[in-house]
Amino acid sequence: MKHIIHSLSACRFHSPSLVIAKGMGGEIHIQFFTSEIVKVSYHFEDVAIHETFAKASQYITSPSKSLQLDEQISIKEENEAFILTCGLSRVVLEKRYALISIWYAGILQHGGRVGTADTVLPSYQVRCFTKEGSQDSFSRFNFPLSEADEFYGLGDKSGLPNRRGRRFSMYNRDSLGYDASNSDPLYKSIPFMIKRNAQTGAMCGLLFDQSLIKLFDLGRESPFFFSVEVEGGPYSYVTFLGDSYHQVLKNYFKVTGFPAFPPLFSFGFFGSSMNYAEPDDAEQRILNYFATIEEHQIPCEGMYVSSGYLKSAEGKRYAFLWNKQKFPDHKAFLTSLSARGYNLCMNIKPGILTSHPWYTELEEKGYFIKDQSGRPYQEFFWGGEASFIDFNNPEAKEWWKSQLKAQYLDHGCTGIWNDNNELELEDVELEAFKTKTLYPIRMAEASYEAFKQEQPRKRPWIYSRSGYAGMQRFARTWSGDNVSDWKTLKYNQYMGQGFSLSGLPYFGHDLGGFFGAFPEEELLVRSAQSAVFQGRFVIHSWREDGNPTEPWSYESALPHIRSLILEHYRFMPYIYTCAFEAAAEGTPIERSLLLEFPDDNNIKGDEINSLFGPHILKVLVTEKGKTNADVYLPQGLWWYSKDGTAFEGGINLEFPYPPDGESLWFAKEGSVIPTAPGLTHLQSGVFEKVELLVHPCKTTGKEIHSSYFEDDGSSELAGKQYNLWEFTVTERAVIITKKVGAIDKKRIFTIRVPEGYTVSQPSFDPDSLKEGEHMVVAISG
């Protein structure tokens, strides 16, 4: 049976922020969280929403409960429509077909009629379908599609950042060896996207806040509409408005949660390979790795410890059960590495194999996801049939947290790596099937809470391979089991832009590739160059022959890779500041040039270079044998090369860029980029040596603002135990203001300007400024 809502007859306030329009077939609820965040919900007559689906939707958007509308809504009735106005937003509800149109600042952002009078297309934006005798329901959303519409986001998706013309499944898959140009689905499905139209200036975000979405079709089926297919409901979506994509993202975070700020050390270099913990001599291999790191004087914060430490003699991976032959005293082993200053992120999987020694006990306690008969549901998993911990069961969740504490946290481990958590249930009749996309978030939440219970004032370090909307509240991520080839190196960069536009600012890639042939030397070096400006610098691999990818895999490449890691550390004050701004304001770290410079028509949709943070243009080479880099400098401002040469934007350049120990980048005019020369270990975010790279404005009258964040590297932001500096740069001066000053440490800040410029004060004592005070440093040249 088909259900539609039409012939709207009344539109009334239900509360100051909720308006209900009644019509034939049901009601439409328009909820204003703020004037820029509007939720549209369809309530069909005789269609009941299962409580599981309703609770799942509430979980996705639970942070929105803290929002309060501080502007009034007005309702105006016209002959053919009801018009709601709130601030710069306007929602038009056309009466006959209940068509929704959402406007912002006078521009149509979303909605309206699909097609024209001459096209045979659905008149209704949402149609719901049920079967007689069943409470199950299904809805299809159809919205108008303009020729210039572009779509960004949706999470872990392959191909170019613009998703236009493609159809995507919205469930999570273990995707070993995926094709980064077109595989689907992958590990993370984020039902949020940014819709942009360069011709009209429209820019909005759309979140479909359901746990069981079948697909997004973004113009593959038809040039006239894009569609979303949802099972079970609730049948709603949230629209995010604003004057830029930054504001759209910030509004998305207000509803689903701002990113959890990871500790400083997690942005450093880490070792990782399945081939360390798999063999019988795993403990010695790990020790040998750190000995070699120290021998070659490579900065290293620790290791991602793969699951081989749990691999039994018969080859089964048993969660929480250390292999005592490999690790006779794992507690002492972990503690000793922690005492040496190494952080360990421990791989753990939620599937409990049916042969696990604890399986029967956990079954009796009811800790597993259940089938229709109430028994533990079993599904295929790595190593055989397994049942999965039910993180919706409070007792099971607490048991899991107690094991994290007993096996890892009590012995100095500082990170939890949630792996193989896609929960690929195939039985659609399962209650857990309805919310399987939320499973990795629940697992990450358990890990997060375990850390917070141990150290309430510290920031947890949680990784999750899989996820859904809201995962950023607890975990950071990476692009999964990628392939060691040139195409993957290229398309992983596009995937990174997609992560940023999906509300996942803290990500990275397995450098050199995880799966496939051993990476050739040039590919490995190019991968390391790409990670100088990236939030995760990790070489991670798995090879059947037991040979891991390492910084010293090629003797001739070792100096290059060491140099690139050191460069990553030198820019850590800037990287860490970008990470802070992502947590505090929701700004992306790795940014699409196309969206960052929307008025520059010369920037193409396949632009491989990106803006890292607000000021650095990150340049890449992702093609074999290419020794020059193609660089387009966005127009409207000047750019400085790393040697201090200034170029006016709007031009294409070609620069020598061999696969060596150098990285290629440009800085915006007016930028101040904090660096830490000689930094080799991330103990504190108040760095001993700070060099400010100041790039004077060359455009007359321009004034550029930037920030620098310092703290101890681990404390929660709510305590405000940090320093926050603001820099204002013009043609002739840099104004330095201490906005927040909670930490004093004896040191000197130095200022470096491009060749040909001088400053009136090349160094200063940062403690000479009190909170709220500023100083002016003149620039001449």
Side-chain angles (χ1 to χ4, degrees):
M1 181 177 180
K2 183 168 78 170
H3 305 262
I4 55 176
I5 299 173
H6 63 97
S7 304
L8 300 181
S9 58
C11 189
R12 302 285 187 270
F13 282 104
H14 182 76
S15 73
S17 62
L18 175 62
V19 174
I20 297 178
K22 295 186 177 182
M24 299 293 292
E27 300 177 345
I28 300 178
H29 294 198
I30 308 296
Q31 174 82 49
F32 285 83
F33 292 111
T34 72
S35 64
E36 295 181 342
I37 304 174
V38 184
K39 181 174 181 177
V40 180
S41 304
Y42 294 82
H43 298 258
F44 299 96
E45 289 180 0
D46 303 321
V47 176
I49 303 301
H50 194 286
E51 183 182 15
T52 299
F53 285 122
K55 287 183 176 179
S57 179
Q58 293 166 9
Y59 180 70
I60 293 169
T61 61
S62 56
S64 67
K65 296 175 183 177
S66 64
L67 296 175
Q68 290 186 335
L69 180 65
D70 56 4
E71 297 186 61
Q72 287 190 336
I73 305 168
S74 67
I75 303 176
K76 179 182 178 182
E77 182 176 0
E78 296 185 346
N79 290 336
E80 297 182 353
F82 295 102
I83 300 174
L84 314 182
T85 303
C86 184
L88 295 177
S89 300
R90 181 160 53 99
V91 180
V92 179
L93 294 85
E94 184 264 358
K95 292 179 180 178
R96 181 178 179 185
Y97 295 111
L99 301 176
I100 305 292
S101 301
I102 299 178
W103 299 67
Y104 182 78
I107 298 173
L108 176 63
Q109 304 291 333
H110 167 71
R113 183 180 300 277
V114 173
T116 67
D118 296 322
T119 54
V120 183
L121 295 168
S123 300
Y124 302 95
Q125 290 175 342
V126 185
R127 288 114 56 221
C128 183
F129 303 90
T130 57
K131 291 182 180 180
E132 187 174 353
S134 172
Q135 291 189 349
D136 294 341
S137 59
F138 164 82
S139 265
R140 194 173 202 224
F141 294 77
N142 284 88
F143 299 112
L145 183 63
S146 298
E147 184 179 356
D149 282 344
E150 302 164 358
F151 299 90
Y152 301 89
L154 297 183
D156 209 347
K157 298 301 178 185
S158 60
L160 296 175
N162 181 7
R163 315 304 191 194
R164 173 68 185 261
R166 295 192 63 189
R167 178 182 292 167
F168 295 99
S169 299
M170 294 306 290
Y171 60 93
N172 302 325
R173 173 73 77 191
D174 184 340
S175 308
L176 174 68
Y178 62 87
D179 183 335
S181 68
N182 64 20
S183 287
D184 182 71
L186 299 179
Y187 304 95
K188 288 166 284 292
S189 303
I190 310 296
F192 164 74
M193 59 185 179
I194 294 175
K195 177 170 167 279
R196 170 185 184 258
N197 189 304
Q199 292 181 358
T200 66
M203 174 78 72
C204 72
L206 295 169
L207 167 68
F208 289 81
D209 55 334
Q210 300 87 25
S211 60
L212 199 57
I213 299 174
K214 185 176 181 181
L215 61 83
F216 278 76
D217 187 301
L218 304 178
R220 180 175 175 182
E221 178 182 347
S222 168
F224 296 105
F225 61 82
F226 69 95
S227 59
V228 184
E229 296 184 5
V230 176
E231 298 182 56
Y235 300 114
S236 57
Y237 62 89
V238 186
T239 307
F240 305 95
L241 308 168
D243 56 7
S244 69
Y245 87 96
H246 288 265
Q247 187 62 30
V248 167
L249 274 173
K250 186 172 184 177
N251 284 330
Y252 167 74
F253 289 132
K254 288 179 180 179
V255 168
T256 62
F258 279 78
F261 188 22
L264 168 67
F265 65 76
S266 69
F267 294 94
F269 175 71
F270 280 83
S272 187
S273 176
M274 278 189 64
N275 297 119
Y276 297 141
E278 292 290 304
D280 292 338
D281 61 343
E283 184 172 302
Q284 190 58 50
R285 286 192 176 218
I286 293 172
L287 293 173
N288 289 345
Y289 178 85
F290 288 121
T292 310
I293 280 286
E294 292 167 4
E295 174 190 350
H296 292 304
Q297 298 182 322
I298 297 173
C300 182
E301 303 307 312
M303 179 177 286
Y304 289 84
V305 182
S306 294
S307 60
Y309 72 97
L310 301 172
K311 189 176 180 181
S312 66
E314 64 269 25
K316 301 292 185 180
R317 295 169 202 274
Y318 293 141
F320 298 123
L321 286 184
W322 286 75
N323 183 313
K324 293 299 184 181
Q325 283 70 45
K326 295 181 184 180
F327 299 90
D329 188 348
H330 75 274
K331 297 178 181 178
F333 178 70
L334 297 176
T335 303
S336 67
L337 287 175
S338 176
R340 291 169 59 182
Y342 290 119
N343 296 279
L344 301 181
C345 193
M346 306 304 296
N347 183 291
I348 191 67
K349 308 174 192 303
I352 308 296
L353 296 175
T354 55
S355 56
H356 195 297
W358 297 353
Y359 186 89
T360 300
E361 178 186 353
L362 296 174
E363 177 184 11
E364 291 173 351
K365 290 182 176 180
Y367 288 175
F368 293 130
I369 288 173
K370 295 179 175 59
D371 63 16
Q372 294 90 330
S373 66
R375 295 188 57 79
Y377 178 76
Q378 296 178 7
E379 187 61 273
F380 68 91
F381 195 61
W382 192 6
E385 294 295 305
S387 294
F388 297 88
I389 297 297
D390 182 1
F391 292 104
N392 285 321
N393 178 338
E395 292 182 1
K397 184 179 181 182
E398 288 304 313
W399 173 82
W400 185 267
K401 288 158 61 174
S402 72
Q403 288 300 318
L404 295 178
K405 179 179 183 297
Q407 301 298 332
Y408 312 124
L409 306 187
D410 284 350
H411 315 297
C413 293
T414 52
I416 296 297
W417 171 7
N418 295 332
D419 202 15
N420 296 88
N421 55 345
E422 288 75 26
L423 193 66
E424 298 183 68
L425 303 180
E426 293 191 323
D427 187 345
V428 298
E429 298 299 321
L430 288 176
E431 187 69 15
F433 187 89
K434 297 180 174 68
T435 58
K436 65 177 184 174
T437 52
L438 302 187
Y439 188 81
I441 308 180
R442 294 286 193 182
M443 184 182 181
E445 182 181 41
S447 301
Y448 190 92
E449 289 177 358
F451 269 100
K452 294 301 289 182
Q453 288 171 4
E454 286 291 290
Q455 295 184 309
R457 294 182 177 84
K458 301 295 184 182
R459 305 196 299 266
W461 178 31
I462 312 298
Y463 259 90
S464 180
R465 188 171 75 172
S466 184
Y468 205 66
M471 70 172 290
Q472 74 278 357
R473 302 199 292 261
F474 309 111
R476 54 189 301 180
T477 191
W478 82 107
S479 55
D481 297 341
N482 59 355
V483 177
S484 300
D485 64 18
W486 287 94
K487 180 169 74 171
T488 300
L489 173 62
K490 178 178 181 177
Y491 278 90
N492 274 169
Q493 311 312 311
Y494 294 138
M495 289 173 69
Q497 293 182 33
F499 285 153
S500 291
L501 296 170
S502 303
L504 302 173
Y506 309 124
F507 64 85
H509 315 289
D510 285 349
L511 303 177
F514 174 82
F515 177 77
F518 198 89
E520 56 194 279
E521 181 175 353
E522 182 185 358
L523 176 62
L524 181 57
V525 174
R526 288 299 192 198
S527 296
Q529 286 177 326
S530 75
V532 169
F533 296 108
Q534 194 176 100
R536 179 182 185 266
F537 202 131
V538 178
I539 296 174
H540 180 49
S541 62
W542 170 65
R543 300 268 140 50
E544 286 189 277
D545 62 5
N547 188 21
T549 308
E550 296 169 315
W552 46 87
S553 289
Y554 296 96
E555 184 178 354
S556 55
L558 173 58
H560 301 324
I561 295 175
R562 182 200 296 115
S563 175
L564 293 166
I565 294 171
L566 286 167
E567 189 75 342
H568 179 73
Y569 275 69
R570 181 168 79 95
F571 280 95
M572 191 56 63
Y574 178 74
I575 295 169
Y576 192 50
T577 297
C578 294
F580 159 73
E581 291 173 347
E585 296 295 330
T587 51
I589 299 177
E590 198 151 330
R591 308 179 182 190
S592 160
L593 293 181
L594 187 68
L595 298 188
E596 197 71 19
F597 301 94
D599 298 326
D600 191 338
N601 296 325
N602 296 317
I603 301 175
K604 306 304 180 186
D606 61 351
E607 175 60 64
I608 195 71
N609 299 329
S610 60
L611 197 69
F612 187 87
H615 299 306
I616 289 181
L617 177 60
K618 173 181 174 179
V619 180
L620 298 163
V621 169
T622 58
E623 298 173 41
K624 181 179 179 179
K626 188 173 181 179
T627 57
N628 291 328
D630 300 315
V631 183
Y632 174 73
L633 301 176
Q635 64 187 15
L637 71 163
W638 288 75
W639 298 84
Y640 287 87
S641 65
K642 59 186 295 185
D643 67 4
T645 304
F647 298 87
E648 190 169 7
I651 60 172
N652 288 288
L653 300 171
E654 187 176 9
F655 278 82
Y657 195 10
D660 60 15
E662 298 290 325
S663 64
L664 184 58
W665 53 272
F666 291 80
K668 278 183 181 180
E669 64 170 324
S671 64
V672 178
I673 299 172
T675 63
L679 181 66
T680 59
H681 189 45
L682 301 178
Q683 293 177 301
S684 169
V686 184
F687 301 104
E688 294 285 347
K689 296 181 181 179
V690 176
E691 185 175 66
L692 305 174
L693 308 183
V694 177
H695 302 88
C697 287
K698 293 184 70 67
T699 303
T700 301
K702 180 163 282 192
E703 183 177 284
I704 301 296
H705 301 276
S706 58
S707 299
Y708 173 37
F709 171 82
E710 304 178 294
D711 77 340
D712 62 7
S714 61
S715 294
E716 286 288 6
L717 295 176
K720 288 204 170 182
Q721 294 301 303
Y722 56 78
N723 294 339
L724 185 60
W725 302 85
E726 182 181 83
F727 308 116
T728 302
V729 179
T730 65
E731 294 174 89
R732 299 298 178 188
V734 54
I735 304 169
I736 301 168
T737 305
K738 183 180 279 189
K739 302 288 287 185
V740 180
I743 302 174
D744 291 338
K745 185 175 183 178
K746 290 184 179 180
R747 63 215 165 111
I748 297 295
F749 283 11
T750 60
I751 298 174
R752 184 174 139 200
V753 289
E755 187 175 349
Y757 288 94
T758 60
V759 291
S760 61
Q761 192 169 344
S763 63
F764 66 96
D765 177 3
D767 290 338
S768 65
L769 291 178
K770 296 180 181 179
E771 186 171 291
E773 293 183 343
H774 72 273
M775 60 183 291
V776 179
V777 178
I779 301 173
S780 58

